[in-house]
Amino acid sequence: MKRISNLFAHPPLVLRIVLLALLLLLLVQAAGFMTVRVAVQQQIDAQLTNDLDVADRVWHKLLQQNAIRLREASGVLAADFGFRAAVASGDADTMVSALQNHSQRIGASMAALLDPQLNLVASTLEEPSKTAMLQAMVPGLSAELAQDPQAGRLAIAGSDVFQFVLVPVRAPLTVGWVLMGFPVGRVQLDDMQRLTGTHITLTVYQAAGGAPNTVSSLGDFSSDVYARIRTQASEIRYQEGMWKARHLQPPTHGGVLRVTLLRSYDEVALPFKNLQWLLGLIALVGLLLFALSSAWGVRYITQPLTHLTRVTRELRRGQFQIEVPGTDRRDEVGELARGFDLMRTSIAQQREAILQLAYWDRLTELPNREQFRRSLHEAIGQAPSDGLELAVLTLNLNRFKHVNDVLGYGFGDELLKAVAQRLQQQVGAAEGLVARLGGDEFALLLRGCGQVGAVEVAQRILQAFEAPLALGEQSVDMDASLGVACWPAHASQADELLGRAEIAMHAAKTTNEPVLVYAPRLDSASAETLSLLGDLRHALAHQELRLYLQPKLDLRSGAIVAAEALVRWQHPQRGLVPPVQFIPFAEQTGFVRQLTLWMFEQAALWLAAHASAQAPLRAAINLSTRDLLDPQFPARLTDLMQRHGVGASHFCLEITESAIMDDPQRAEHTLNQLAALGFKLSIDDFGTGYSSLAYLKRLPVQELKIDKSFVMGMNDDESDAKIVRSTIDLAHNLGLTVVAEGVESQAILQRLQSMGCDEAQGYHICRPMPAIAFADWVRQWAKPAV
C-alpha cells in the first residue's frame, strides 16, 4: 500500500508523460465531442424543422389530392345516366339509393343531392338530427364550394371533421348538385404518420361552442398533454419524450380546426445518438491504443534517461569509470548520452584537479594542511598496533615577510620551494612526511620517533638552514622557529597534536628559541593570549587604559615643544600591563585601530583642557599599518578634532617604515589625505626599515625620528654615531626636521646638539608620565645647559 501511495505521490517519468499526453488527448476529444454535440443538436433542430415543413406540405398535398380523388369519384355518380334520369324525373327513392350505393363504394360518410339553387333535395342521412344539421350546413358550405368547384372544403359536422366536394349533375344542363362528405379522422392521420413519420393531432372547436374534440395519430392523451396542444406550445412532453410541435389552422366551415404536427426529438436524435456512441467507442479505443503506443514510445525515449539516472547515482558515489549507455544512438537521446559521457570524463578530470588543490600545495607540490591532518590521523590509528611513537614538527620561517617586501613575492615563492626541497632532503620519505600548512609554515610527521629523535631532526634542520639559500643572483640567510609535539605523550588526537606543535612553534618564535617542545605552560600562555582580546575590549569600555606622555626637547631653545602620547593598561588583577604584552597582539588582531582612536581622543581632550597652560605645542601619536589601510581613518580624526575643538597643527602622526611598506600605494594615499588636513607627519624608527630614498622623497612627511638603537650606541660605537650624523644631514638636505629618541645621558644629548639634531626624547630628559602630571612637570622644567 505504501508503495502504491508513493507511486501516486511521485509517479515515474514514463507515467507522467503518458498521463500528460492522455490528458491533452482527452481535452482535444472533449472539445471535439462538445463541438459535435452542438453540431448534432443544431442538426436535430434543423431536421425537426425540415420534417415539420415536409409534413406541412404533405398534409396540404394529401388534402388536395384527396379532394381531386373525391371529385373524380363523385363525378362518376354525377355522370351516371340512371342517376341523372332519376334526378331529372324527381324519383327520390332512386336518387337516395344511388347516393347510398355510391357513397358506400367510395367511402363517403354522407352524400346529398342539391337542386340547382343549392337546396337540399335528398341525402343518405336517416336520422332527423343529422339531416337537420346537414340542411343547416348546406347553404353556406355549398356557396363556398360553388365559388371554387375544383377544391375540397373542410367542415365541422358535430364534433367530426369532413372534407366535402360538390359536383354538378348535367343533363345536359345543370339539373342539380351532388355533395359528398368524407370523414377526416384517425385513419387519415395514421396514413399521414406512416407516410411522413410525423404525428398529427386535430383539435375541433365547434361554432356552437362546447368542449373541443381532439383526435391524434398518437392515440389517447392525458389532460396535461391536451392542455399543451391547445395552448399551441412549441414543445410537448409525451411518454418520457419531448416532441416538437407546429400548429396549423386551415380554413374550415362550421367551426375552428387546429392541426398540430408533432415530431419526436428522440426519433430524430436516435441515429445521431448511435453515431455519438460509435464515436465514443472509437475515442475509447483510440485512447487505449494511444496510451499503449505512448507508453512504448516514451519508454523507448526515457529508458536511456533511467540508465543515465543510475549513472548519476554512481557518479555521486565517486564511481567515474562507469559506462554511459546510449552513446551509440543517433537521435537526441544519443546526443544527450554522449554529452553526459563527456561531462563524466570532465568531472573526473576536475575532481582529480580539485583533489589536487584540496590536498596538495600547488607551489611546493607538498601535502597541504588537510592532507597532513589525514595522514596524521591514519598514522595515529595505526600506531597502537605497531607499538611506535609519533612526533609532529612545525616550522615557521623568520623574517620571511621582509624578504617578500624587499625582493618581491616571486622571489618569496622560489624561496618557499627551496625550503621545501631542503626539508625533504633532511627527512626522507621512509622516515617522515613533509607538508606545507600555509604561508611560510611547514609541518613534519615523524613515524616511530619520540621526543629525543624529534629534537635531533629539528637540530639537523636548523644546521641545514645555516647554509645560505642561493636563488639566482640572490643569496639569502634564513632561520626558522620549530615546535615539537609527540604522541601519545602530548596529545591523543590528530588535531590536538598538530595544534600543540604549533603552540610550541609560536612560543619558540616569541622567545627567540630555535626549538621548543610542547609543555602545558605554553598552552596556558596561549589561552591567556586568546582571552587578551576580550580583556582589551573590556579595558577600553571600562576606562582601564591610561594616557601617558613623554616630553620632546627642542635642542636649540631647550624648551619642551612636544610630547609623545603613549598608552598604559591598568588591569584590575594584573596591575600595570606593559605595552609590549598587548600592543603587538592588538596589531595582529586589528584592535590597534580602536587604541589609536582612543589615544587621539584622549590627547585631544588633554590639549583642549590645557590650552592656556604651558602645554606642549604638539602631541605625537603612533599610527599602525591598519590605521593607514583604513580609508575612513582621516574622516574619523577630523570628527574627533571637531568634537573637541582642537586643530590638526597640534598633532604629529608618527608612522614606521614597515607600516608604510606593507601597502605603499594605499599608505601614500592616506598620508596625503592627512597632510592635506594639516597634520605633521613623522617617520618613526628611521633606519630599521627597507624604504628607498626615492620613495621617502615622495611622502608628505616633515620629520624623521632616528631609532633609539642607533642613538643609545653613539658613545660606544662610532658606526652608530656616523649613522646618526648621516641621517641628520640627509633629513636636513631633504628639508625635514630630526628627532632622536633613546637619549639616556647628558653626553648623548650634547653630541646630538653638536650634530644639529632638532629635537630629543629619552629617559635622560624624562620618563613617560601620566597625562595629569605632565602640565606640572612642564612648569617645573629647567632648561639644560646645552
Side-chain angles (χ1 to χ4, degrees):
M1 184 64 68
K2 184 177 180 181
R3 184 175 182 181
I4 294 176
S5 63
N6 288 336
L7 179 64
F8 283 101
H10 306 285
L13 179 61
V14 175
L15 182 58
R16 293 201 302 271
I17 295 177
V18 171
L19 289 177
L20 179 60
L22 287 177
L23 178 61
L24 293 176
L25 182 59
L26 281 173
L27 291 175
V28 172
Q29 288 193 343
F33 183 78
M34 292 303 297
T35 304
V36 170
R37 185 178 179 86
V38 172
V40 166
Q41 188 61 42
Q42 293 175 349
Q43 184 64 29
I44 290 174
D45 292 339
Q47 183 68 36
L48 286 170
T49 302
N50 183 65
D51 288 351
L52 292 176
D53 290 340
V54 171
D56 188 0
R57 291 194 297 271
V58 170
W59 168 254
H60 286 90
K61 191 68 175 177
L62 284 175
L63 290 177
Q64 184 180 7
Q65 290 178 352
N66 196 42
I68 294 172
R69 182 179 62 82
L70 294 176
R71 280 186 59 79
E72 290 175 352
S74 299
V76 172
L77 175 62
D80 184 75
F81 178 79
F83 180 73
R84 287 185 296 173
V87 172
S89 63
D91 187 352
D93 293 335
T94 302
M95 289 186 290
V96 172
S97 176
L99 289 173
Q100 289 177 341
N101 291 334
H102 195 74
S103 62
Q104 290 176 358
R105 187 170 61 248
I106 65 175
S109 297
M110 61 179 70
L113 176 65
L114 307 180
D115 60 15
Q117 289 75 33
L118 301 177
N119 295 314
L120 180 63
V121 176
S123 73
T124 59
L125 300 175
E126 296 178 356
E127 296 180 10
S129 60
K130 292 183 178 180
T131 303
M133 179 187 67
L134 179 62
Q135 192 168 7
M137 290 175 55
V138 165
L141 179 63
S142 300
E144 293 176 1
L145 288 171
Q147 292 177 2
D148 187 9
Q150 301 299 323
R153 189 68 173 175
L154 294 176
I156 295 174
S159 60
D160 298 322
V161 181
F162 295 89
Q163 186 176 19
F164 287 92
V165 293
L166 185 66
V167 178
V169 180
R170 293 183 176 89
L173 297 176
T174 301
V175 294
W177 297 85
V178 175
L179 179 66
M180 290 287 185
F182 300 88
V184 179
R186 182 70 174 269
V187 175
Q188 288 76 18
L189 300 185
D190 290 342
D191 291 341
M192 177 70 178
Q193 191 275 331
R194 284 192 296 271
L195 182 62
T196 63
T198 301
H199 288 274
I200 300 181
T201 298
L202 301 180
T203 304
V204 178
Y205 299 88
Q206 302 177 48
N213 182 38
T214 302
V215 61
S216 175
S217 61
L218 287 171
D220 295 332
F221 292 112
S222 60
S223 58
D224 61 331
V225 176
Y226 279 119
R228 297 280 291 170
I229 291 176
R230 289 167 185 166
T231 58
Q232 302 187 42
S234 61
E235 291 184 348
I236 297 172
R237 180 171 294 279
Y238 173 66
Q239 292 183 350
E240 304 295 329
M242 188 65 69
W243 299 70
K244 189 173 181 64
R246 179 178 292 182
H247 302 276
L248 308 175
Q249 189 171 339
T252 307
H253 180 81
V256 178
L257 174 64
R258 286 183 181 168
V259 180
T260 302
L261 304 177
L262 296 171
R263 191 73 171 97
S264 173
Y265 274 99
D266 294 336
E267 290 180 6
V268 175
L270 182 60
F272 295 102
K273 287 184 177 179
N274 293 335
L275 178 61
Q276 285 181 319
W277 279 107
L278 180 60
L279 290 176
L281 179 61
I282 294 173
L284 183 62
V285 174
L287 279 175
L288 180 61
L289 294 176
F290 181 80
L292 294 176
S293 61
S294 298
W296 179 83
V298 173
R299 183 175 179 81
Y300 175 75
I301 295 174
T302 59
Q303 190 171 18
L305 301 180
T306 304
H307 294 324
L308 292 179
T309 304
R310 178 178 57 82
V311 169
T312 59
R313 289 195 292 268
E314 295 298 325
L315 293 179
R316 187 172 57 188
R317 297 191 193 99
Q319 303 296 326
F320 290 95
Q321 303 305 319
I322 186 172
E323 182 179 356
V324 178
T327 55
D328 55 341
R329 294 177 53 148
R330 297 302 175 195
D331 55 3
E332 290 80 0
V333 176
E335 263 185 51
L336 176 62
R338 287 188 291 275
F340 204 88
D341 192 49
L342 289 175
M343 183 179 68
R344 175 188 64 83
T345 56
S346 176
I347 291 176
Q349 295 171 357
Q350 292 178 14
R351 181 174 181 269
E352 291 298 324
I354 290 172
L355 290 176
Q356 185 71 21
L357 292 174
Y359 297 111
W360 296 88
D361 179 56
R362 296 183 64 184
L363 179 64
T364 61
E365 298 183 355
L366 293 177
N368 61 8
R369 178 182 286 271
E370 183 61 27
Q371 178 73 345
F372 185 81
R373 287 179 63 254
R374 290 192 172 205
S375 300
L376 179 56
H377 187 274
E378 293 174 0
I380 290 177
Q382 297 172 358
S385 60
D386 297 338
L388 300 176
E389 293 181 298
L390 296 175
V392 173
L393 274 69
T394 54
L395 177 148
N396 185 260
L397 299 178
N398 296 328
R399 300 188 305 278
F400 179 73
K401 182 178 182 300
H402 294 297
V403 173
N404 268 342
D405 292 340
V406 176
L407 300 178
Y409 289 97
F411 185 87
D413 291 344
E414 295 299 323
L415 178 61
L416 292 175
K417 293 180 184 179
V419 169
Q421 293 176 359
R422 189 163 291 189
L423 289 176
Q424 287 177 309
Q425 291 171 0
Q426 298 302 318
V427 182
E431 185 178 359
L433 173 70
V434 179
R436 182 187 176 202
L437 302 184
D440 58 339
E441 185 176 345
F442 294 83
L444 294 84
L445 170 60
L446 304 178
R447 300 180 180 88
C449 184
Q451 178 175 324
V452 176
V455 173
E456 289 178 356
V457 173
Q459 295 294 342
R460 196 165 66 223
I461 292 173
L462 291 174
Q463 290 176 4
F465 273 30
E466 291 178 358
L469 292 170
L471 298 174
E473 298 180 356
Q474 296 287 342
S475 180
V476 181
D477 291 322
M478 293 297 298
D479 62 349
S481 300
L482 289 94
V484 178
C486 300
W487 180 90
H490 297 142
S492 59
Q493 302 296 325
D495 289 336
E496 187 180 12
L497 184 62
L498 178 58
R500 290 184 172 177
E502 289 181 315
I503 289 173
M505 177 193 71
H506 290 303
K509 199 173 186 70
T510 303
T511 59
N512 292 324
E513 292 287 340
V515 180
L516 270 182
V517 179
Y518 171 79
R521 59 179 177 80
L522 301 178
D523 216 356
S524 62
S526 177
E528 181 181 346
T529 302
L530 291 176
S531 66
L532 189 59
L533 180 59
D535 291 346
L536 274 175
R537 296 185 188 277
H538 183 273
L540 190 62
H542 293 80
Q543 291 80 42
E544 295 178 8
L545 301 180
R546 303 288 183 265
L547 177 66
Y548 274 57
L549 297 175
Q550 186 176 24
K552 291 185 180 182
L553 176 66
D554 187 332
L555 293 180
R556 292 187 178 85
S557 64
I560 301 299
V561 294
E564 182 176 2
L566 304 170
V567 62
R568 297 292 185 267
W569 183 7
Q570 188 65 44
H571 196 279
Q573 283 83 32
R574 304 178 189 176
L576 193 63
V577 181
V580 71
Q581 293 186 10
F582 66 89
I583 294 297
F585 177 77
E587 290 178 347
Q588 293 174 8
T589 59
F591 191 74
V592 70
R593 289 183 297 179
Q594 284 87 332
L595 288 181
T596 302
L597 294 176
W598 179 87
M599 291 176 62
F600 191 91
E601 185 170 21
Q602 295 300 314
L605 285 169
W606 191 89
L607 288 171
H610 297 81
S612 59
Q614 295 180 359
L617 299 178
R618 294 187 310 276
I621 298 175
N622 291 283
L623 303 185
S624 69
T625 303
R626 295 182 182 270
D627 294 324
L628 294 180
L629 300 184
D630 182 6
Q632 302 300 321
F633 182 66
R636 291 190 175 98
L637 297 188
T638 302
D639 180 66
L640 288 174
M641 288 189 298
Q642 291 176 351
R643 190 186 310 168
H644 299 295
V646 294
S649 61
H650 289 83
F651 292 93
C652 177
L653 304 181
E654 298 182 355
I655 311 101
T656 62
E657 293 178 83
S658 59
I660 298 173
M661 297 310 297
D662 278 349
D663 192 339
Q665 290 183 349
R666 291 177 63 182
E668 183 179 353
H669 178 69
T670 303
L671 290 175
N672 285 328
Q673 287 183 301
L674 294 173
L677 292 174
F679 288 104
K680 182 177 182 180
L681 302 179
S682 174
I683 299 295
D684 195 9
D685 298 337
F686 185 78
T688 60
Y690 301 91
S691 59
S692 66
L693 294 178
Y695 185 74
L696 180 62
K697 186 178 180 181
R698 287 166 40 196
L699 297 177
V701 297
Q702 296 89 31
E703 181 180 278
L704 293 183
K705 194 172 185 181
I706 304 174
D707 187 68
K708 62 182 178 181
S709 60
F710 302 114
V711 176
M712 294 172 65
M714 278 198 309
N715 288 338
D716 300 326
D717 190 342
E718 192 60 30
S719 296
D720 287 342
K722 292 179 180 179
I723 290 174
V724 172
R725 181 181 297 274
S726 299
T727 302
I728 294 172
D729 293 340
L730 173 65
H732 288 166
N733 289 332
L734 292 175
L736 308 177
T737 59
V738 181
V739 177
E741 61 177 343
V743 178
E744 303 293 334
S745 64
Q746 180 68 18
I748 293 176
L749 186 65
Q750 291 178 344
R751 193 163 187 181
L752 289 172
Q753 195 274 341
S754 65
M755 291 179 178
C757 184
D758 300 293
E759 297 177 9
Q761 173 184 349
Y763 284 179
H764 178 69
I765 301 170
C766 184
R767 290 176 176 271
M769 67 185 73
I772 58 176
F774 190 80
D776 294 337
W777 181 87
V778 171
R779 282 193 295 268
Q780 298 172 7
W781 167 254
K783 296 181 181 181
V786 294

